Amino acid sequence: MAAIHPQLRDDCLILGQLELCHLLLMLDANYPWFILVPDRENITEIHQLDEADQQQLMRESVLVSRVLEKAFSPDKLNIAALGNMVPQCHIHHIVRYRTDVAWPAPVWGRVPVKEYQEDALAAVVETVKQALSLP
């Protein structure tokens, strides 16, 4: 199993493992924000994955996107692979609402991180884990 970058480990809760990717929840209650991290060593870009892994990553991204749309009914779902701060290949899936604190701007660096209340965190985790059949 590939190690998850320390910054992701510090900023996120690891929810589980899909066929290819680790699924993480960014610990910022401003937005339901999930991250897929392919379980491959020394990959910084999507194109560095072999073709089968690229296709699996896309399937998992679509699956997570559909789950998030159903669970959270966003106005928009932002999906991005930046890697400027964390070089390990990872894809953000951020649920956005016209009423969120950063709308319509990108979320990065816009407002301070908001800690989850324990019950809200448990609800988000349970919703997504149940929808994806994660233990």
Side-chain angles (χ1 to χ4, degrees):
M1 181 157 62
I4 295 173
H5 189 278
Q7 189 66 54
L8 291 175
R9 284 196 322 266
D10 289 346
D11 294 344
C12 300
L13 178 65
I14 300 170
L15 299 183
Q17 177 78 37
L18 302 174
E19 186 175 326
L20 173 66
C21 295
H22 302 279
L23 178 64
L24 285 58
L25 170 65
M26 177 70 79
L27 293 174
D28 184 350
N30 285 307
Y31 332 88
W33 182 343
F34 298 84
I35 301 174
L36 287 175
V37 182
D39 189 10
R40 298 293 182 262
E41 293 287 346
N42 304 315
I43 299 293
T44 59
E45 307 293 343
I46 295 169
H47 70 267
Q48 294 170 341
L49 294 166
D50 66 32
E51 188 173 333
D53 283 348
Q54 290 173 29
Q55 291 172 358
Q56 185 61 31
L57 176 59
M58 181 57 69
R59 283 190 290 274
E60 292 177 14
S61 179
V62 168
L63 173 64
V64 167
S65 298
R66 288 180 176 149
V67 163
L68 298 180
E69 282 189 337
K70 184 175 181 182
F72 298 101
S73 301
D75 293 315
K76 180 69 175 102
L77 187 60
N78 291 170
I79 301 172
L82 301 177
N84 298 351
M85 300 297 289
V86 174
Q88 183 176 27
C89 183
H90 62 287
I91 301 178
H92 300 266
H93 294 70
I94 309 167
V95 173
R96 301 296 308 275
Y97 301 102
R98 287 181 178 86
T99 57
D100 75 42
V101 295
W103 186 270
V107 299
W108 286 275
R110 194 72 177 174
V111 298
V113 169
K114 178 180 173 185
E115 285 189 41
Y116 271 100
Q117 296 297 315
E118 190 175 324
D119 58 337
L121 177 61
V124 168
V125 168
E126 179 61 25
T127 296
V128 172
K129 287 179 87 169
Q130 186 174 23
L132 291 169
S133 302
L134 294 173

